[in-house]
Amino acid sequence: MIPAKICSWVPFLVTLDLSNNLLSGQIPPDLGQCQYLNRLVLSNNSLSGPIPSQLSNLNRLTVFSVADNDLNGPIPASFDHFDEAGFDGNKGLCGKPLGGKCGALSKKNLAIIIAAGVFSAA
């Protein structure tokens, strides 16, 4: 679990790399208060839930990775410029960096729905 008050404890935090630590739970929205943070790497953990919209407050952020977790929901629009690799491995995430719209059906899912409709009508 990532401590919610880490920005209060270390107010001039510039880099936070907690990758490969078997962390679980959600990303605390309070990380958005780390005003000097320019690198946030949380990859290869078991973090769940959405990417908090409060992280959009991190104006100095140049490196961001939450790859290989269990995150879900839309990626905040302010993260559109980050590389797709920083979001890979989260089956529930959707949004521009991953090339997909949230709530849209994939071609595979659409084909399954159409096939089910055709066979149930017969």
Side-chain angles (χ1 to χ4, degrees), residues 2-4 6-7 13 16 27-35 37 40 42 54-55 58:
I2 301 170
I6 196 164
C7 300
L13 186 64
L16 182 60
I27 299 171
D30 291 351
L31 282 181
Q33 297 173 7
C34 293
Q35 60 184 346
L37 197 61
L40 179 57
L42 304 173
Q54 291 86 340
L55 297 187
L58 300 174

Side-chain angles (χ1 to χ4, degrees), residues 67-110:
D68 300 313
N69 279 286
D70 296 314
L71 299 174
N72 59 54
I75 297 169
S78 61
F79 289 87
D80 287 354
H81 65 285
F82 289 109
D83 190 84
E84 175 183 344
F87 302 96
D88 282 346
N90 291 282
K91 294 179 183 176
L93 279 183
C94 60
K96 187 175 179 183
L98 295 174
K101 292 183 180 179
C102 296
L105 291 174
S106 69
K107 289 181 182 179
K108 179 182 175 183
N109 288 341
L110 186 56

Side-chain angles (χ1 to χ4, degrees), residues 17-75:
D17 186 340
L18 296 174
S19 59
N20 301 301
N21 278 295
L22 301 173
L23 295 172
S24 61
Q26 296 193 348
I27 299 171
D30 291 351
L31 282 181
Q33 297 173 7
C34 293
Q35 60 184 346
Y36 298 101
L37 197 61
N38 61 36
R39 293 178 50 88
L40 179 57
V41 182
L42 304 173
S43 53
N44 298 305
N45 285 294
S46 295
L47 298 171
S48 59
I51 296 173
S53 60
Q54 291 86 340
L55 297 187
S56 298
N57 297 334
L58 300 174
N59 299 325
R60 298 172 190 243
L61 206 58
T62 58
V63 175
F64 181 75
S65 179
V66 291
D68 300 313
N69 279 286
D70 296 314
L71 299 174
N72 59 54
I75 297 169

